[in-house]
Amino acid sequence: MRFKDVFSIIGPSMIGPSSSHTAGAVRLGRCARQALGVMPNEAEIRFYGSFADTYVGHGTDLAIIAGLLDLDTDDVRIRNSIQHAEQLGMQIKFVPMTRPNVHPNTVTMLLQGDGRKVTMTGCSIGGGSIEIINVNGFDVKFTAVYPTLLIYHKDRTGMVAEISDIARQAGINISYMEVDRKMRNGEALTVIESDERLLPKAKQRLEQLTDVNEVCIIDLMKKEAQS
């Protein structure tokens, strides 16, 4: 078995009790927060599988909200994250769900804030590692181990080539790339995991491409200003 990084071997520095139910959940929350771009003022959290059965006892509810506050896995404020979020005006709803054929540790986060909305589904797959499996109705997969680009655009000929060319010119090595579309010539989402962080100038160039609607960056190594 090959390991991509040290994190794969030793796991995260974390507040317990469980790397899957807490550390992984924090990272899932942070992905959704960064996809939204702001702290949500409304958050509906739908838990599936063992998340639904044990989220209170294992602190998964605290961990998800900590992630939405952009706290890291070892932040002691995780223990009081719900209280802190509510003090900041976040309206929170937890909903245990039942759905067959999903990973045991699955969550869907429906977020609203600053006139924006994001729906993200992801799984905590062990040792603090995660996998995002759906963003705003697009069936895409990424792990957020590396800096990740979410590029919302119209499905058209040449779009992927233009995106790749901008990445090349910016010196970005694409380690993983996936595209999903809702219909031919309709809305599409391209996901890129890269070895390098995306510079603001390159992000601006992507945003200026014809038929690109939005570009989001998910980088769990980067910390936003804490609320």
Short mmCIF file of all heavy atoms in Angstrom, two decimals, residues 158-202:
data_model
loop_
_atom_site.label_atom_id
_atom_site.label_comp_id
_atom_site.label_asym_id
_atom_site.label_seq_id
_atom_site.Cartn_x
_atom_site.Cartn_y
_atom_site.Cartn_z
N GLY A 158 -14.24 22.77 -25.84
CA GLY A 158 -13.03 23.52 -25.58
C GLY A 158 -12.87 24.05 -24.17
O GLY A 158 -11.80 24.56 -23.82
N MET A 159 -13.91 23.93 -23.34
CA MET A 159 -13.84 24.51 -22.00
C MET A 159 -12.74 23.86 -21.16
O MET A 159 -11.93 24.54 -20.52
CB MET A 159 -15.18 24.40 -21.30
CG MET A 159 -15.18 24.90 -19.86
SD MET A 159 -14.74 26.64 -19.69
CE MET A 159 -16.32 27.40 -20.14
N VAL A 160 -12.70 22.53 -21.15
CA VAL A 160 -11.70 21.83 -20.34
C VAL A 160 -10.29 22.17 -20.80
O VAL A 160 -9.38 22.37 -19.99
CB VAL A 160 -11.95 20.32 -20.36
CG1 VAL A 160 -10.81 19.57 -19.67
CG2 VAL A 160 -13.27 19.98 -19.68
N ALA A 161 -10.11 22.28 -22.12
CA ALA A 161 -8.79 22.63 -22.66
C ALA A 161 -8.38 24.03 -22.22
O ALA A 161 -7.21 24.27 -21.87
CB ALA A 161 -8.82 22.54 -24.18
N GLU A 162 -9.31 24.97 -22.22
CA GLU A 162 -9.00 26.34 -21.80
C GLU A 162 -8.65 26.40 -20.32
O GLU A 162 -7.73 27.11 -19.91
CB GLU A 162 -10.18 27.26 -22.12
CG GLU A 162 -10.41 27.44 -23.61
CD GLU A 162 -11.68 28.23 -23.91
OE1 GLU A 162 -12.10 29.03 -23.06
OE2 GLU A 162 -12.23 28.05 -25.01
N ILE A 163 -9.39 25.65 -19.51
CA ILE A 163 -9.10 25.59 -18.07
C ILE A 163 -7.70 25.00 -17.84
O ILE A 163 -6.89 25.54 -17.08
CB ILE A 163 -10.16 24.76 -17.34
CG1 ILE A 163 -11.51 25.50 -17.33
CG2 ILE A 163 -9.71 24.43 -15.91
CD1 ILE A 163 -12.66 24.67 -16.81
N SER A 164 -7.41 23.90 -18.53
CA SER A 164 -6.11 23.24 -18.38
C SER A 164 -4.97 24.15 -18.83
O SER A 164 -3.89 24.14 -18.23
CB SER A 164 -6.09 21.94 -19.19
OG SER A 164 -7.10 21.05 -18.75
N ASP A 165 -5.20 24.93 -19.87
CA ASP A 165 -4.15 25.82 -20.37
C ASP A 165 -3.82 26.91 -19.37
O ASP A 165 -2.65 27.26 -19.17
CB ASP A 165 -4.58 26.43 -21.70
CG ASP A 165 -3.42 27.14 -22.40
OD1 ASP A 165 -2.35 26.52 -22.56
OD2 ASP A 165 -3.59 28.32 -22.78
N ILE A 166 -4.84 27.45 -18.72
CA ILE A 166 -4.59 28.46 -17.68
C ILE A 166 -3.81 27.84 -16.53
O ILE A 166 -2.87 28.46 -15.99
CB ILE A 166 -5.91 29.08 -17.20
CG1 ILE A 166 -6.50 29.97 -18.30
CG2 ILE A 166 -5.70 29.87 -15.92
CD1 ILE A 166 -7.86 30.54 -17.96
N ALA A 167 -4.16 26.63 -16.14
CA ALA A 167 -3.42 25.93 -15.08
C ALA A 167 -1.97 25.74 -15.49
O ALA A 167 -1.05 25.95 -14.69
CB ALA A 167 -4.08 24.59 -14.77
N ARG A 168 -1.74 25.35 -16.74
CA ARG A 168 -0.37 25.15 -17.24
C ARG A 168 0.42 26.45 -17.18
O ARG A 168 1.55 26.48 -16.70
CB ARG A 168 -0.41 24.62 -18.68
CG ARG A 168 0.96 24.43 -19.31
CD ARG A 168 0.84 24.09 -20.78
NE ARG A 168 0.20 25.15 -21.54
CZ ARG A 168 0.84 26.26 -21.96
NH1 ARG A 168 2.12 26.44 -21.67
NH2 ARG A 168 0.19 27.18 -22.65
N GLN A 169 -0.18 27.53 -17.65
CA GLN A 169 0.52 28.81 -17.66
C GLN A 169 0.83 29.31 -16.25
O GLN A 169 1.80 30.04 -16.04
CB GLN A 169 -0.31 29.84 -18.41
CG GLN A 169 -0.45 29.57 -19.90
CD GLN A 169 -1.33 30.60 -20.60
OE1 GLN A 169 -1.31 31.77 -20.27
NE2 GLN A 169 -2.08 30.15 -21.59
N ALA A 170 -0.02 28.91 -15.29
CA ALA A 170 0.20 29.32 -13.90
C ALA A 170 1.17 28.39 -13.17
O ALA A 170 1.45 28.59 -11.98
CB ALA A 170 -1.13 29.35 -13.16
N GLY A 171 1.68 27.38 -13.86
CA GLY A 171 2.61 26.44 -13.25
C GLY A 171 1.96 25.47 -12.30
O GLY A 171 2.60 24.97 -11.37
N ILE A 172 0.68 25.19 -12.53
CA ILE A 172 -0.07 24.28 -11.66
C ILE A 172 -0.07 22.88 -12.26
O ILE A 172 -0.49 22.68 -13.40
CB ILE A 172 -1.51 24.78 -11.48
CG1 ILE A 172 -1.52 26.11 -10.71
CG2 ILE A 172 -2.37 23.76 -10.77
CD1 ILE A 172 -2.86 26.79 -10.68
N ASN A 173 0.39 21.92 -11.47
CA ASN A 173 0.38 20.53 -11.90
C ASN A 173 -0.93 19.89 -11.44
O ASN A 173 -1.19 19.76 -10.25
CB ASN A 173 1.56 19.77 -11.31
CG ASN A 173 1.62 18.34 -11.82
OD1 ASN A 173 1.35 18.08 -12.99
ND2 ASN A 173 1.97 17.42 -10.94
N ILE A 174 -1.78 19.50 -12.38
CA ILE A 174 -3.06 18.89 -12.07
C ILE A 174 -2.86 17.44 -11.68
O ILE A 174 -2.38 16.63 -12.46
CB ILE A 174 -4.03 18.99 -13.27
CG1 ILE A 174 -4.32 20.45 -13.60
CG2 ILE A 174 -5.33 18.24 -12.97
CD1 ILE A 174 -5.14 20.65 -14.86
N SER A 175 -3.20 17.10 -10.43
CA SER A 175 -3.04 15.72 -9.97
C SER A 175 -4.31 14.90 -10.19
O SER A 175 -4.26 13.67 -10.25
CB SER A 175 -2.66 15.71 -8.49
OG SER A 175 -3.66 16.35 -7.70
N TYR A 176 -5.46 15.60 -10.28
CA TYR A 176 -6.74 14.91 -10.48
C TYR A 176 -7.72 15.90 -11.09
O TYR A 176 -7.73 17.07 -10.72
CB TYR A 176 -7.28 14.39 -9.14
CG TYR A 176 -8.67 13.78 -9.22
CD1 TYR A 176 -8.87 12.48 -9.65
CD2 TYR A 176 -9.78 14.53 -8.85
CE1 TYR A 176 -10.14 11.93 -9.71
CE2 TYR A 176 -11.06 13.99 -8.91
CZ TYR A 176 -11.23 12.69 -9.34
OH TYR A 176 -12.50 12.15 -9.41
N MET A 177 -8.55 15.39 -11.99
CA MET A 177 -9.53 16.27 -12.65
C MET A 177 -10.78 15.46 -12.97
O MET A 177 -10.69 14.31 -13.42
CB MET A 177 -8.94 16.85 -13.93
CG MET A 177 -9.79 17.90 -14.62
SD MET A 177 -8.87 18.62 -16.02
CE MET A 177 -9.92 20.00 -16.45
N GLU A 178 -11.94 16.05 -12.72
CA GLU A 178 -13.22 15.38 -13.01
C GLU A 178 -14.25 16.43 -13.42
O GLU A 178 -14.25 17.55 -12.90
CB GLU A 178 -13.71 14.60 -11.79
CG GLU A 178 -14.99 13.81 -12.06
CD GLU A 178 -15.39 12.92 -10.89
OE1 GLU A 178 -14.70 12.93 -9.87
OE2 GLU A 178 -16.41 12.22 -11.02
N VAL A 179 -15.11 16.04 -14.36
CA VAL A 179 -16.16 16.94 -14.84
C VAL A 179 -17.50 16.22 -14.76
O VAL A 179 -17.61 15.04 -15.11
CB VAL A 179 -15.91 17.37 -16.31
CG1 VAL A 179 -16.99 18.36 -16.76
CG2 VAL A 179 -14.53 17.98 -16.47
N ASP A 180 -18.52 16.92 -14.28
CA ASP A 180 -19.89 16.40 -14.34
C ASP A 180 -20.78 17.51 -14.90
O ASP A 180 -20.53 18.70 -14.66
CB ASP A 180 -20.39 15.96 -12.97
CG ASP A 180 -21.74 15.24 -13.06
OD1 ASP A 180 -21.98 14.55 -14.07
OD2 ASP A 180 -22.55 15.39 -12.13
N ARG A 181 -21.78 17.12 -15.64
CA ARG A 181 -22.71 18.10 -16.21
C ARG A 181 -24.14 17.62 -15.97
O ARG A 181 -24.40 16.42 -15.90
CB ARG A 181 -22.46 18.29 -17.71
CG ARG A 181 -22.66 17.03 -18.55
CD ARG A 181 -22.32 17.27 -20.00
NE ARG A 181 -22.63 16.09 -20.82
CZ ARG A 181 -22.45 16.01 -22.13
NH1 ARG A 181 -21.94 17.04 -22.79
NH2 ARG A 181 -22.76 14.92 -22.79
N LYS A 182 -25.05 18.58 -15.86
CA LYS A 182 -26.44 18.24 -15.61
C LYS A 182 -27.17 17.88 -16.90
O LYS A 182 -28.16 17.16 -16.88
CB LYS A 182 -27.13 19.38 -14.89
CG LYS A 182 -26.57 19.59 -13.48
CD LYS A 182 -27.34 20.62 -12.68
CE LYS A 182 -26.78 20.71 -11.26
NZ LYS A 182 -27.48 21.74 -10.44
N MET A 183 -26.69 18.42 -18.02
CA MET A 183 -27.22 18.07 -19.33
C MET A 183 -26.26 18.59 -20.40
O MET A 183 -25.40 19.42 -20.12
CB MET A 183 -28.62 18.69 -19.55
CG MET A 183 -28.65 20.21 -19.48
SD MET A 183 -30.29 20.92 -19.76
CE MET A 183 -30.58 20.42 -21.45
N ARG A 184 -26.40 18.07 -21.59
CA ARG A 184 -25.54 18.51 -22.68
C ARG A 184 -25.74 20.00 -22.93
O ARG A 184 -26.87 20.49 -23.02
CB ARG A 184 -25.88 17.72 -23.96
CG ARG A 184 -24.97 18.04 -25.13
CD ARG A 184 -25.31 17.15 -26.30
NE ARG A 184 -24.43 17.41 -27.44
CZ ARG A 184 -24.49 16.77 -28.61
NH1 ARG A 184 -25.41 15.81 -28.78
NH2 ARG A 184 -23.66 17.07 -29.57
N ASN A 185 -24.63 20.73 -22.98
CA ASN A 185 -24.63 22.19 -23.18
C ASN A 185 -25.29 22.94 -22.02
O ASN A 185 -25.66 24.11 -22.17
CB ASN A 185 -25.31 22.58 -24.50
CG ASN A 185 -24.59 22.03 -25.71
OD1 ASN A 185 -23.36 22.02 -25.75
ND2 ASN A 185 -25.35 21.56 -26.70
N GLY A 186 -25.45 22.25 -20.89
CA GLY A 186 -26.06 22.88 -19.72
C GLY A 186 -25.02 23.21 -18.66
O GLY A 186 -23.83 23.43 -18.97
N GLU A 187 -25.44 23.23 -17.40
CA GLU A 187 -24.54 23.54 -16.31
C GLU A 187 -23.56 22.39 -16.07
O GLU A 187 -23.92 21.22 -16.17
CB GLU A 187 -25.33 23.79 -15.03
CG GLU A 187 -26.26 24.99 -15.09
CD GLU A 187 -27.04 25.14 -13.80
OE1 GLU A 187 -26.57 24.66 -12.75
OE2 GLU A 187 -28.13 25.73 -13.84
N ALA A 188 -22.33 22.75 -15.75
CA ALA A 188 -21.29 21.75 -15.51
C ALA A 188 -20.40 22.20 -14.36
O ALA A 188 -20.34 23.38 -14.01
CB ALA A 188 -20.45 21.53 -16.77
N LEU A 189 -19.71 21.24 -13.77
CA LEU A 189 -18.75 21.52 -12.71
C LEU A 189 -17.47 20.74 -13.00
O LEU A 189 -17.51 19.52 -13.18
CB LEU A 189 -19.30 21.12 -11.34
CG LEU A 189 -18.33 21.21 -10.15
CD1 LEU A 189 -17.82 22.63 -9.96
CD2 LEU A 189 -18.97 20.69 -8.87
N THR A 190 -16.37 21.47 -13.06
CA THR A 190 -15.05 20.85 -13.18
C THR A 190 -14.33 20.94 -11.85
O THR A 190 -14.27 22.02 -11.25
CB THR A 190 -14.21 21.53 -14.28
OG1 THR A 190 -14.80 21.29 -15.55
CG2 THR A 190 -12.78 20.99 -14.30
N VAL A 191 -13.80 19.82 -11.38
CA VAL A 191 -13.04 19.76 -10.13
C VAL A 191 -11.59 19.45 -10.47
O VAL A 191 -11.31 18.52 -11.23
CB VAL A 191 -13.60 18.68 -9.19
CG1 VAL A 191 -12.71 18.53 -7.97
CG2 VAL A 191 -15.02 19.03 -8.77
N ILE A 192 -10.69 20.24 -9.92
CA ILE A 192 -9.26 20.03 -10.13
C ILE A 192 -8.56 19.99 -8.79
O ILE A 192 -8.69 20.91 -7.98
CB ILE A 192 -8.64 21.16 -10.99
CG1 ILE A 192 -9.19 21.10 -12.42
CG2 ILE A 192 -7.11 21.05 -11.00
CD1 ILE A 192 -8.71 22.24 -13.30
N GLU A 193 -7.82 18.90 -8.53
CA GLU A 193 -6.91 18.86 -7.41
C GLU A 193 -5.50 19.12 -7.95
O GLU A 193 -5.10 18.53 -8.97
CB GLU A 193 -6.96 17.50 -6.71
CG GLU A 193 -8.26 17.26 -5.95
CD GLU A 193 -8.23 15.98 -5.14
OE1 GLU A 193 -7.44 15.07 -5.49
OE2 GLU A 193 -8.98 15.86 -4.18
N SER A 194 -4.76 20.00 -7.29
CA SER A 194 -3.45 20.39 -7.81
C SER A 194 -2.38 20.27 -6.74
O SER A 194 -2.67 20.31 -5.53
CB SER A 194 -3.50 21.83 -8.33
OG SER A 194 -3.81 22.73 -7.27
N ASP A 195 -1.13 20.15 -7.18
CA ASP A 195 -0.02 20.09 -6.25
C ASP A 195 0.31 21.45 -5.67
O ASP A 195 0.85 21.55 -4.57
CB ASP A 195 1.23 19.54 -6.96
CG ASP A 195 1.08 18.08 -7.35
OD1 ASP A 195 0.26 17.39 -6.71
OD2 ASP A 195 1.77 17.63 -8.28
N GLU A 196 -0.03 22.51 -6.40
CA GLU A 196 0.28 23.87 -5.97
C GLU A 196 -0.99 24.64 -5.63
O GLU A 196 -2.06 24.35 -6.15
CB GLU A 196 1.03 24.63 -7.08
CG GLU A 196 2.37 24.04 -7.45
CD GLU A 196 2.24 22.85 -8.41
OE1 GLU A 196 1.16 22.70 -9.01
OE2 GLU A 196 3.20 22.10 -8.53
N ARG A 197 -0.84 25.64 -4.77
CA ARG A 197 -1.95 26.53 -4.49
C ARG A 197 -2.18 27.46 -5.68
O ARG A 197 -1.23 27.88 -6.34
CB ARG A 197 -1.67 27.35 -3.23
CG ARG A 197 -1.71 26.50 -1.97
CD ARG A 197 -1.42 27.32 -0.74
NE ARG A 197 -1.62 26.52 0.47
CZ ARG A 197 -1.34 26.93 1.69
NH1 ARG A 197 -0.82 28.13 1.87
NH2 ARG A 197 -1.57 26.15 2.73
N LEU A 198 -3.45 27.78 -5.90
CA LEU A 198 -3.80 28.65 -7.01
C LEU A 198 -3.59 30.11 -6.61
O LEU A 198 -4.11 30.57 -5.60
CB LEU A 198 -5.26 28.44 -7.41
CG LEU A 198 -5.72 29.21 -8.65
CD1 LEU A 198 -5.13 28.60 -9.90
CD2 LEU A 198 -7.25 29.21 -8.74
N LEU A 199 -2.83 30.84 -7.42
CA LEU A 199 -2.60 32.25 -7.16
C LEU A 199 -3.83 33.06 -7.55
O LEU A 199 -4.56 32.69 -8.47
CB LEU A 199 -1.38 32.73 -7.94
CG LEU A 199 -0.04 32.05 -7.57
CD1 LEU A 199 1.06 32.55 -8.50
CD2 LEU A 199 0.31 32.33 -6.12
N PRO A 200 -4.09 34.18 -6.86
CA PRO A 200 -5.26 35.01 -7.18
C PRO A 200 -5.34 35.41 -8.66
O PRO A 200 -6.43 35.47 -9.22
CB PRO A 200 -5.06 36.24 -6.28
CG PRO A 200 -4.26 35.73 -5.13
CD PRO A 200 -3.33 34.70 -5.70
N LYS A 201 -4.19 35.67 -9.29
CA LYS A 201 -4.20 36.07 -10.69
C LYS A 201 -4.73 34.95 -11.58
O LYS A 201 -5.49 35.19 -12.53
CB LYS A 201 -2.79 36.47 -11.13
CG LYS A 201 -2.72 37.08 -12.52
CD LYS A 201 -1.32 37.57 -12.83
CE LYS A 201 -1.26 38.21 -14.21
NZ LYS A 201 0.11 38.70 -14.52
N ALA A 202 -4.35 33.70 -11.28
CA ALA A 202 -4.83 32.57 -12.07
C ALA A 202 -6.32 32.36 -11.84
O ALA A 202 -7.06 32.05 -12.78
CB ALA A 202 -4.06 31.30 -11.70
#
